[in-house]
Amino acid sequence: MAEYVVGKIDDIPEGKGIAVEAGRRTIAIFRVAGKLYAIANRCPHKGASLCEGEVVCEDGIVRCPWHHWNWQLGDGKLETDPRQGLRTYPIAVDGDDVVITV
Amino acid sequence: MNIATNPNRQPAKRVKPNPIDPRAHNYKVVDTDFHFIPDWEVLRKFLKEPFRTELTKYPPVGGDYTPQYAIGLEGTGQETMGRASTAAEVLKVLDEIGVESVLLSPGFQRPQSMFHPAMLSAIAAAYNDYLAAEVLPASPRIKAEIMINHRDPAAGAAEIRRVAKHPGFLSVYTEFGGNYEPIGTSRHDPIYDAAIENDLTVTSHVGTFYQQFTPLHQGTRTWSELVGISAVSISMAYVGSMIFQGLFDKYPTLRVIIKEGGFWWLPEFMARSDDYYLSHPGDIKLTERKLEAGEQFLNKLPSEYFESNIRFSSQPVCFPRDPRHFKMLMELCRGEDMLMYSSDWPHATFDPINWAFDPAISEEGRKKILEDNARNWFRRPF
């Protein structure tokens, strides 16, 4: 387990993703209705970058920009078939820093 | 966990990941289905009168199909990834998606569904003239299909002969869809005559999803039924018409590409075709081409025509749930020989090259799918 500082809270736009490299992993970071989420960036369907996806509801779902697979940011599960899931990572605010644990 | 006290905390690097597999650059990738959508005002300059004066925008055709709402606010799903209307815009996208050379398909598929024959023929001619004048000369990376009105085979053949001298045109574009007869019937022979005469491949791309015209489509409610599944069943029917009505016996050197019609169906089609043909070949001699030639049977078994006459563009490659089955399907369908990569950019069903790096595909097969199968299938230099 390693901790990475993503940036300041204001570096993460509301309702729009960014991507960071933490070690060998590429992780998409979202802030939706004030809540932070960290999820594997690569959609396993065809490889799109989820950080480019649209946040489609305040419940925290990111819609893949290519084929609209809806991933739940909270638990990483695919909305239509929750047996499929992406890895999510703990994310927290510590002072000014947003920190993910990978 | 007390994150405040962790002294080993490192900065994460902000990145903009490229979702296209970087190994694309090890290949000179050929994309056999990239939809080119000219701006109407540009196309209009090439449109002959009186259509130029009367048509101030793309003419309305066919009507919408019910499940369009499913893919969001962009409408038909035909511009989900963007829009390329000029050679410069095409080249920019090719660089982004890891493609070296492209075969442009007429991207505004709806005009091809219109029932106004003179108007469609005029639009097709304007499209071909625009490509020949401004798009094909811009780069050797760009090749194109000839747009025709395939519902009027004589007019379609005339259009092929009119523009075929331009070496940038490699093939003739037709569509398969619910409100039109299969393209393998003999009344389309003028198109095949013109194609053969000019060393052009003929493609048939899924299209014309206008469900209001057919009982099959009237019974569909969802995007998956209409765009997903009916495309497969209709492409099978089209290939059936080509094989069983003697198209490839009359034109043994004809090369066809089925685009966006699926291909995992090949094992069923091949085995069933051979079985039914061998059991009931009596009606073959009654089909128009065979009557004309005075022939009793097909020259080969139905399944054997795939090797000699038919290939498939790859998109959309759909992975079975069990990943082991992907390798089995590739083997059963001889995917490394029968498939040529296609992106379908900019449609909602865009398929980047990433799947071609699945370890189930051999190194040699990957090169064939991404480069050689397409380059070798066209009779003109790609």
Side-chain angles (χ1 to χ4, degrees), chain B residues 356-369:
Chain B
F357 295 97
D358 189 285
I361 299 171
S362 75
E363 202 44 56
E364 188 199 358
R366 189 167 296 122
K367 183 165 184 304
K368 287 199 278 188
I369 290 167

Side-chain angles (χ1 to χ4, degrees), chain B residues 140-160:
Chain B
R141 296 170 67 190
I142 302 178
K143 308 293 184 193
E145 304 218 55
I146 298 172
M147 180 177 173
I148 60 165
N149 173 6
H150 67 255
R151 294 166 191 237
D152 182 344
E159 179 63 12
I160 294 168

Side-chain angles (χ1 to χ4, degrees), chain B residues 34-37 58 61 63-65 68 71-84 105-113 173 175 205-210 223 227 260 344-350:
Chain B
F34 181 107
H35 295 275
F36 183 67
I37 311 176
Y58 276 117
V61 290
D64 291 337
Y65 46 100
Q68 277 178 3
I71 50 162
L73 297 174
E74 71 270 26
T76 62
Q78 295 195 15
E79 295 184 28
T80 305
M81 304 297 295
R83 180 175 184 151
S105 312
F108 44 101
Q109 287 161 304
R110 296 177 65 193
Q112 275 127 316
S113 307
Y173 180 88
E175 285 189 359
H205 186 291
V206 66
T208 56
F209 295 118
Y210 299 102
W223 178 260
V227 183
E260 209 172 340
D344 199 34
W345 195 94
H347 289 182
T349 39
F350 168 63

